[in-house]
Amino acid sequence: EKEFKEIINLANKYAISRNMKFYFVYIPAIDQRTLKLDKRNHEIIKKTINELNIPIIDLYEIFSKEI
């Protein structure tokens, strides 16, 4: 979790240094046994991205309404 946060923060800083906007796109995995969305890491990732004030495009929210 700590390494993930550091890497995402570095990517965001790089984008800012190049006058670009960094967005994080969360694409959920599908559990192969149940064919349902795998939400094990969703909240942790979302919390980390929000702590870094990075805009998130959360496809889990969209896909969970479709399935």
Side-chain angles (χ1 to χ4, degrees):
E1 185 177 334
K2 181 183 172 191
E3 291 170 344
F4 171 74
K5 187 173 186 176
E6 289 175 8
I7 291 167
I8 295 299
N9 195 32
L10 284 172
N12 188 43
K13 286 181 178 180
Y14 178 81
I16 290 169
S17 75
R18 300 286 189 251
N19 202 27
M20 299 183 314
K21 186 73 172 172
F22 182 77
Y23 291 86
F24 185 86
V25 179
Y26 182 84
I27 303 172
I30 295 179
D31 187 314
Q32 295 298 314
R33 292 171 287 135
T34 63
L35 297 179
K36 293 186 179 182
L37 295 178
D38 186 349
K39 60 181 178 179
R40 287 178 286 185
N41 295 316
H42 179 251
E43 289 303 318
I44 295 168
I45 291 171
K46 198 163 111 174
K47 178 179 175 270
T48 301
I49 298 303
N50 286 330
E51 286 174 358
L52 295 171
N53 295 313
I54 296 171
I56 184 169
I57 298 169
D58 191 352
L59 297 181
Y60 178 86
E61 302 295 331
I62 295 168
F63 291 162
S64 65
K65 293 175 185 172
E66 299 291 323
I67 295 178

